[in-house]
């Protein structure tokens, strides 16, 4: 035994063997530790380091991008009405408007008339100065009416009433004024005489069941128009216009 350790070569060989054993033992321990944590994985005959951190980062980035896209798609663009919004606006508009029949009832109530007392000649929706209205025209035996009713709240936007004198069976030719009398009435209204003017129209017509005289004449470059009730001689319309 003394002879074995006394040789320098043998001593060095023992030291080298011990070092190799220690290195191998340390490597096996490190490999076992990495295997348990999943840091390395066998691939065939090779040992490949597991790229778990990189894969996890990619997966997390993909999930974040997907979540962002879902949130972006759920937010409507500015100024864009979704179907729910459009439906809400339509319902709100419909709730704030009255119907044609309701507007008709408003017009009749304001005129103090009932449905069976009048005859309608017009009932339609229209726009007046950008405002939605219902336009009505109707008449009775004694008057003609025109109404515009706001569609939004049913208030009266405008109205007019005109007396109406109809020809009856008792109205004979002798009860009417003559054409010459109608012309004289028109001239008196204009403050002119027959010698000063030129007549271009003078005849009796029927306007909405009412007998009238339509009188038109010129004096110089001024045109005169006059509508006269054929039964009463009343001036229904009168207009003077300078002819350019």
């Amino acid at each position: 035994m003394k002879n074995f350790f006394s040789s320098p070569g043998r001593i060095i060989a023992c030291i080298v063997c011990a070092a190799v054993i220690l290195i191998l033992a340390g490597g096996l321990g490190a490999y076992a530790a990495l295997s348990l944590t999943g840091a390395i994985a066998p691939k065939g005959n090779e040992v490949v380091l597991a790229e778990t951190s990189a894969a996890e980062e990619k997966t997390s980035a993909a999930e974040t991008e997907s979540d962002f896209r879902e949130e972006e798609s759920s937010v409507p663009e500015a100024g864009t009405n979704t179907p729910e919004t459009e439906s809400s606006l339509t319902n709100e508009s419909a709730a704030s408007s009255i119907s044609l029949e309701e507007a008709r009832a408003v017009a009749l109530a304001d005129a103090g008339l009932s449905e069976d007392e009048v005859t309608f000649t017009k009932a339609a929706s229209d726009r007046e100065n950008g405002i939605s209205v219902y336009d009505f025209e109707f008449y009775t035996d004694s008057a003609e009416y025109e109404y515009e009713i706001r569609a939004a709240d049913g208030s009266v936007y405008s109205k007019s009433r005109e007396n109406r004198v109809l020809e009856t069976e008792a109205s004979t030719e002798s009860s009417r004024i003559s054409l010459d009398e109608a012309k004289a009435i028109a001239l008196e209204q204009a403050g002119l005489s027959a010698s000063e003017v030129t007549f271009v129209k003078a005849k009796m017509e029927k306007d909405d069941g009412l007998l009238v005289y339509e009188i038109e004449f010129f004096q110089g470059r001024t045109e005169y128009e006059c509508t006269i009730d054929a039964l009463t001689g009343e001036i229904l319309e009168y207009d003077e216009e300078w002819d350019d």
Side-chain angles (χ1 to χ4, degrees):
M1 189 71 174
K2 183 179 178 181
N3 292 334
F4 176 80
F5 288 104
S6 63
S7 171
R10 290 180 180 176
I11 293 172
I12 293 172
C14 288
I15 293 172
V16 170
C17 288
V20 169
I21 291 171
L22 290 174
I23 291 172
L24 290 176
L28 289 174
Y31 176 82
L34 291 175
S35 297
L36 291 174
T37 58
I40 59 172
K43 185 178 181 181
N45 295 327
E46 300 177 356
V47 175
V48 180
L49 292 175
E51 300 179 355
T52 54
S53 0
E56 288 174 357
E57 290 178 2
K58 289 182 180 180
T59 302
S60 176
E63 291 175 351
T64 303
E65 183 178 358
S66 175
D67 293 341
F68 176 78
R69 287 178 179 174
E70 289 179 358
E71 292 178 2
E72 185 180 29
S73 63
S74 65
V75 178
E77 296 181 1
T80 302
N81 288 334
T82 62
E84 292 82 1
T85 304
E86 291 177 353
S87 175
S88 176
L89 291 174
T90 302
N91 292 336
E92 181 179 354
S93 175
S96 62
S97 298
I98 65 171
S99 66
L100 180 67
E101 292 302 319
E102 290 172 327
R104 184 201 298 257
V106 171
L108 289 172
D110 187 82
L113 299 169
S114 61
E115 188 82 32
D116 56 356
E117 291 180 287
V118 305
T119 300
F120 277 90
T121 58
K122 183 177 182 181
S125 58
D126 199 357
R127 291 190 73 82
E128 187 69 32
N129 296 325
I131 299 174
S132 295
V133 298
Y134 289 111
D135 196 358
F136 298 102
E137 293 180 11
F138 53 91
Y139 65 88
T140 65
D141 290 340
S142 60
E144 295 179 358
Y145 299 83
E146 292 185 9
Y147 272 87
E148 287 180 332
I149 308 298
R150 291 178 184 267
D153 57 10
S155 61
V156 177
Y157 181 75
S158 69
K159 62 180 179 178
S160 66
R161 181 184 184 277
E162 183 178 340
N163 290 333
R164 186 167 183 256
V165 180
L166 299 176
E167 181 184 23
T168 63
E169 295 179 359
S171 301
T172 62
E173 189 173 341
S174 61
S175 65
R176 305 171 193 154
I177 66 172
S178 66
L179 181 59
D180 289 337
E181 288 174 319
K183 291 166 70 174
I185 292 171
L187 288 170
E188 183 180 0
Q189 177 68 25
L192 300 170
S193 63
S195 60
E196 294 178 286
V197 304
T198 301
F199 284 94
V200 294
K201 181 179 180 181
K203 66 177 183 177
M204 186 169 62
E205 295 181 347
K206 209 168 190 179
D207 183 13
D208 291 331
L210 182 66
L211 283 176
V212 297
Y213 284 109
E214 295 287 351
I215 311 295
E216 295 180 15
F217 53 89
F218 280 90
Q219 195 274 328
R221 300 184 66 178
T222 305
E223 179 183 6
Y224 299 83
E225 296 182 2
C226 192
T227 302
I228 300 172
D229 191 316
L231 297 177
T232 65
E234 178 186 359
I235 296 176
L236 303 177
E237 293 181 16
Y238 178 80
D239 183 59
E240 297 180 15
E241 183 177 350
W242 174 262
D243 186 9
D244 296 330

